[in-house]
Amino acid sequence: MENKFEGACLCQRVKFQVRLVNLKMHVCHCSMCRKSSGGTGFAYLYAQEAPEFRTQDTLSSYNAVGKAERGFCNHCGTTIYYHNVLDKGYCISISVLEKLPENDILFNREWYYHDKPGYYSYANKTQKS
């Protein structure tokens, strides 16, 4: 299976294509990921290379704590990616990817689980780091 997918922000001003390593979904529960995603955690799929942007006029990035970059659309606010500058890989927000084979996605890992607030939990059995 070719793991190359199209993605776009809510307003469609940032469009890209990305090659994913696999279809294993991770969620990060750290406070920064929860704030930037506006949800219970940052759900993502991993890419070893940067997305290939087709349109990016409204793509902006935020340098988080000097070791990470968060990419987002500065028009609609959609989170696109998280990139640790010490690593070549990109964590691509699962919500912006189009035509994912949903039945093939495996939710298998939760990061910063010790930072997860007590007001939610996921039913899936996952590795917790």
Side-chain angles (χ1 to χ4, degrees):
M1 172 193 282
E2 174 79 44
N3 283 334
K4 201 166 196 180
F5 295 93
E6 301 289 324
C9 65
L10 183 63
C11 70
Q12 300 289 306
R13 292 185 181 185
V14 177
K15 293 183 180 181
F16 63 94
Q17 187 175 66
V18 66
R19 185 181 315 275
L20 301 172
V21 172
N22 54 46
L23 295 178
K24 293 180 180 175
M25 184 181 89
H26 297 193
V27 172
C28 182
H29 297 289
C30 80
S31 63
M32 288 189 294
C33 280
R34 285 185 284 117
K35 280 186 180 185
S36 74
S37 70
T40 57
F42 177 53
Y44 66 90
L45 297 169
Y46 190 74
Q48 285 184 325
E49 301 168 354
E52 297 171 26
F53 289 97
R54 299 182 191 286
T55 59
Q56 59 181 1
D57 294 344
T58 60
L59 180 66
S60 290
S61 65
Y62 169 69
N63 187 332
V65 198
K67 62 181 177 181
E69 174 187 42
R70 294 180 184 275
F72 63 96
C73 173
N74 65 32
H75 181 76
C76 67
T78 302
T79 297
I80 306 293
Y81 67 82
Y82 168 89
H83 170 63
N84 183 322
V85 296
L86 302 176
D87 181 18
K88 291 183 180 180
Y90 284 73
C91 300
I92 308 296
S93 175
I94 196 167
S95 305
V96 299
L97 296 170
E98 300 169 354
K99 298 182 182 173
L100 285 173
E102 291 183 15
N103 293 331
D104 295 337
I105 304 248
L106 173 66
F107 177 23
N108 74 327
R109 185 162 210 150
E110 297 179 67
W111 294 95
Y112 290 92
Y113 189 77
H114 62 278
D115 287 346
K116 183 188 83 56
Y119 54 80
Y120 70 88
S121 64
Y122 297 116
N124 302 60
K125 291 189 178 192
T126 59
Q127 295 177 351
K128 295 170 174 55
S129 303

